[in-house]
Amino acid sequence: MKVNPSFLLGFFLIVALWSCEGAEDTPLSPPSPSPPEEIVDTPPMLSLPTESGVQAVSMEPGFRTESMSLSGNTSMIYSISVPEEVEEGAVPLVLALHGGNGDAGSAEGFMECLPIPALKGLDAIIFAPTGGEWWQELHTMRVVELVRLAKMFWPIDTNKVVVTGYSNGGTGSVYFAKNFPETFSAAIPMGGNYMEPTCPLIPTYLIHGEEDEFYSPVLLQQTVSGLQASDCDIQLEFVPGATHGAACTMITQLAGASFWLQNEVWKE
């Protein structure tokens, strides 16, 4: 049978149109998602004191505030007091930890207020770094590394390295007394939080305001009494009438703690 060409053309047009209508009703499949990029949890690099930075600290007598180069192309503001006569290998080192959150003037203000006038009888190098919460990893490791390098490069008696501080610095001093006995020979925490009632691993002399409204004097006395009953080498002195903001009134008590260092800890 002979088929009319016009019929064939019409037939194919109808099929094509029907196919297009079907395609419009069928949703396109979404593209296959790309595999997620692998997330690598890289801990931040700790910026710590370096040999060159610690060696660059001047041992010229006097008090000054300067900046120390740290690893990772960073720096740290610090204040230092160096005695008039520095006999090689015979000078104590006092690490003084400021309170608060650690703005640029924290170390300098704390030094002038309390450690310098109170500890002048020690003839010690007194060093106050600028930091944050001293028990956090970054600030803890900065302190530990600083002292390690100071024992190598500064003219100090490595058996006479003491940590002290007020408020945040007092709590930090407690933390170092409990966890780093190889770094310090004694601790003098002031106005801090003792936190867990465990025994310090180095001789510890606590100074606390009798009216401290932040850290309960009653609770601190209970904690220390319990530790003393367990033969911990710890002492506590309250400052009559002192509130938490009265750090600068504690010069007499901190000076008394320096005699404790000389006569009971170092047994000079």
Side-chain angles (χ1 to χ4, degrees):
M1 180 181 66
K2 184 176 181 181
V3 180
N4 189 325
S6 298
F7 172 80
L8 289 175
L9 178 60
F11 175 78
F12 286 122
L13 285 174
I14 290 171
V15 172
L17 289 172
W18 177 81
S19 299
C20 290
E21 289 177 359
E24 288 176 359
D25 293 338
T26 304
L28 295 174
S29 298
S32 299
S34 301
E37 294 183 6
E38 183 180 358
I39 298 175
V40 180
D41 186 13
T42 303
M45 179 181 297
L46 294 179
S47 52
L48 302 177
T50 62
E51 290 190 8
S52 59
V54 171
Q55 286 180 292
V57 175
S58 172
M59 290 294 121
E60 288 294 319
F63 173 65
R64 54 194 167 271
T65 297
E66 297 177 334
S67 180
M68 174 188 291
S69 297
L70 304 175
S71 62
N73 198 30
T74 58
S75 62
M76 175 184 69
I77 295 174
Y78 68 88
S79 292
I80 188 171
S81 175
V82 181
E84 288 297 323
E85 295 184 8
V86 179
E87 185 178 347
E88 188 71 28
V91 180
L93 171 64
V94 177
L95 198 77
L97 306 178
H98 63 71
N101 294 324
D103 58 32
S106 295
E108 184 174 59
F110 175 56
M111 285 277 277
E112 293 179 321
C113 161
L114 190 52
I116 289 178
L119 300 177
K120 58 185 178 182
L122 287 180
D123 290 326
I125 294 172
I126 308 175
F127 186 93
T130 299
E133 294 180 328
W134 297 106
W135 53 93
Q136 292 183 345
E137 182 183 17
L138 172 62
H139 305 294
T140 297
M141 297 315 298
R142 280 184 179 176
V143 167
V144 170
E145 183 65 4
L146 172 70
V147 174
R148 186 184 75 84
L149 294 174
K151 288 178 178 180
M152 293 173 59
F153 299 114
W154 291 358
I156 62 174
D157 184 336
T158 58
N159 295 312
K160 296 181 179 180
V161 180
V162 183
V163 61
T164 188
Y166 192 83
S167 189
N168 169 30
T171 304
S173 300
V174 170
Y175 180 80
F176 285 110
K178 291 181 179 182
N179 294 281
F180 294 93
E182 70 284 355
T183 300
F184 299 100
S185 62
I188 310 174
M190 299 177 289
N193 182 6
Y194 201 86
M195 298 188 285
E196 298 84 5
T198 55
C199 190
L201 301 179
I202 54 177
T204 299
Y205 193 110
L206 294 161
I207 299 172
H208 206 79
E210 194 176 51
E211 304 296 331
D212 193 305
E213 64 276 28
F214 283 3
Y215 305 119
S216 167
V218 173
L219 182 58
L220 181 60
Q221 179 65 76
Q222 292 173 350
T223 298
V224 172
S225 295
L227 294 174
Q228 289 173 333
S230 302
D231 293 327
C232 291
D233 191 350
I234 186 170
Q235 298 188 42
L236 171 61
E237 180 176 3
F238 284 113
V239 182
T243 62
H244 192 76
C248 297
T249 68
M250 299 182 178
I251 293 174
T252 299
Q253 287 73 25
L254 184 54
S258 72
F259 289 108
W260 165 78
L261 280 174
Q262 292 171 308
N263 298 321
E264 297 188 33
V265 179
W266 300 334
K267 302 184 186 303
E268 295 180 337

